[in-house]
Amino acid sequence: MALMATKTKVPLLLHRIVKNGGAFGRVGATRSSSTAVVESRPVGLGVLGLKDYEDYRRSLYGEITHKALLVDAAGTLLVPSQPMAQIYRAIGEKYGVKYSEDEILNRYRRAYGQPWGGSRLRYVNDARPFWQYIVSYSTGCSDSQYFEELYNYYSTNKAWHLCDPDAENVFKALRKAGVKLGVVSNFDTRLRPLMRSLNCDHWFDAVAVSAEVEAEKPNPTIFLKACDLLGVKPEDAVHVGDDRRNDIWGARDAGCDAWLWGSEVHSFKEVAQRIGVQV
């Protein structure tokens, strides 16, 4: 998360969005994992096509194929409103940042891709030590006021917007149909207040944040925690996220179904339809 939480794709927290440059920008920095060529069909159903698989699920569970939908935050539910490097550069000019946006982006990706020595987790509590390292390395500026301005910017609804404008109506229809909803996110403690500021926190029955669970995707623990909070078995849940490694592999390792956002599904309406709920 660019100064936003991210997935091991480069975080977007502040940086969570690699496409846009993320919060603290999770930027594209991290998408190396999502570009890997990997079989996208559900594990264990190798030779089945999509329609065959959906028919198979319905033969087992009825028209509603999943009891719970888990959604990634940065990059799926939420996206940065402006490219991360652009924000780092714009805010940083008054603090003496000289790097171009391209240089900032490249350095951000390098920093985010390196092992984080401060902890086995990137997002511990408010994750300030991690983000201070990322910002300093990306921009060459260690000014504490610069960091705080960036960090606070990515805590606001000015920095983020909802990826799918129809999300609220879709989630209402899913909940009406009895499908439980949860968020599973590699993010620091800013996620909950950020969701409140975007007026989407009440859409969900549970939120599993890595900084609170002390486990980051693709660790199955965070998915299992979300299922536990929702009161469902992993095999009854489907997770949707935009990072192949963190979201798809991680969810499947936990026993959940998983669909890659932007590839296998492109809107929450499509997600609902695949679950068996018409919107």
Side-chain angles (χ1 to χ4, degrees):
M1 309 182 196
L3 269 192
M4 354 180 242
T6 302
K7 320 169 176 191
T8 289
K9 21 170 159 191
V10 171
L12 261 172
L13 176 59
L14 263 179
H15 316 356
R16 214 183 199 123
I17 270 274
V18 169
K19 321 169 182 177
N20 276 340
F24 244 163
R26 250 194 229 262
V27 160
T30 227
R31 262 304 260 190
S32 57
S33 61
S34 54
T35 57
V37 177
V38 176
E39 173 59 60
S40 62
R41 289 173 294 183
V43 172
L45 296 172
V47 298
L48 296 182
L50 173 59
K51 185 177 185 305
D52 294 323
Y53 174 66
E54 292 177 344
D55 289 344
Y56 166 78
R57 292 280 311 191
R58 289 191 171 90
S59 71
L60 294 178
Y61 303 103
E63 284 304 306
I64 306 297
T65 58
H66 299 83
K67 295 179 180 179
L69 169 64
L70 308 178
V71 179
D72 166 51
T76 305
L77 178 65
L78 316 174
V79 292
S81 296
Q82 293 179 273
M84 176 275 295
Q86 180 179 317
I87 294 299
Y88 276 39
R89 168 73 179 170
I91 294 178
E93 285 183 340
K94 62 185 175 185
Y95 296 99
V97 172
K98 302 298 184 185
Y99 292 146
S100 68
E101 291 181 21
D102 285 344
E103 288 174 315
I104 291 172
L105 178 57
N106 289 334
R107 292 178 66 87
Y108 176 93
R109 288 174 170 165
R110 286 200 297 273
Y112 199 84
Q114 293 173 0
W116 168 235
S119 167
R120 63 186 176 83
L121 302 174
R122 288 180 169 88
Y123 311 120
V124 176
N125 297 321
D126 61 12
R128 270 186 163 82
F130 172 71
W131 288 120
Q132 285 173 329
Y133 160 71
I134 293 293
V135 171
S136 176
Y137 188 96
S138 301
T139 64
C141 180
S142 299
D143 189 297
S144 61
Q145 288 184 303
Y146 171 48
F147 170 77
E148 288 300 325
E149 186 170 346
L150 264 181
Y151 186 89
N152 292 332
Y153 169 79
Y154 280 107
S155 304
T156 69
N157 56 15
K158 180 180 180 180
W160 302 86
H161 64 271
L162 296 170
C163 182
D164 185 344
D166 293 327
E168 182 174 13
N169 289 334
V170 174
F171 291 150
K172 284 181 178 178
L174 284 165
R175 294 182 80 177
K176 185 176 181 180
V179 178
K180 296 181 178 180
L181 303 177
V183 170
V184 179
S185 177
N186 285 355
F187 219 106
D188 57 48
T189 51
R190 289 172 296 171
L191 181 58
R192 290 181 187 273
L194 175 61
M195 289 176 62
R196 286 195 294 271
S197 71
L198 290 167
N199 198 32
C200 64
D201 59 312
H202 61 285
W203 298 350
F204 300 95
D205 302 295
V207 177
V209 187
S210 63
E212 299 171 355
V213 177
E214 298 185 347
E216 294 175 0
K217 297 181 292 183
N219 188 328
T221 298
I222 191 169
F223 296 97
L224 295 174
K225 178 63 174 179
C227 291
D228 183 58
L229 291 171
L230 293 173
V232 300
K233 297 177 181 178
E235 59 266 31
D236 292 331
V238 59
H239 176 71
V240 174
D242 66 327
D243 187 280
R244 192 178 297 277
R245 176 178 179 270
N246 287 349
D247 293 306
I248 306 306
W249 297 356
R252 290 177 180 169
D253 280 349
C256 302
D257 204 350
W259 302 330
L260 185 63
W261 182 261
S263 176
E264 294 175 301
V265 289
H266 300 83
S267 69
F268 288 117
K269 182 176 181 179
E270 184 179 355
V271 170
Q273 289 173 338
R274 287 187 62 172
I275 291 173
V277 176
Q278 298 302 314
V279 181

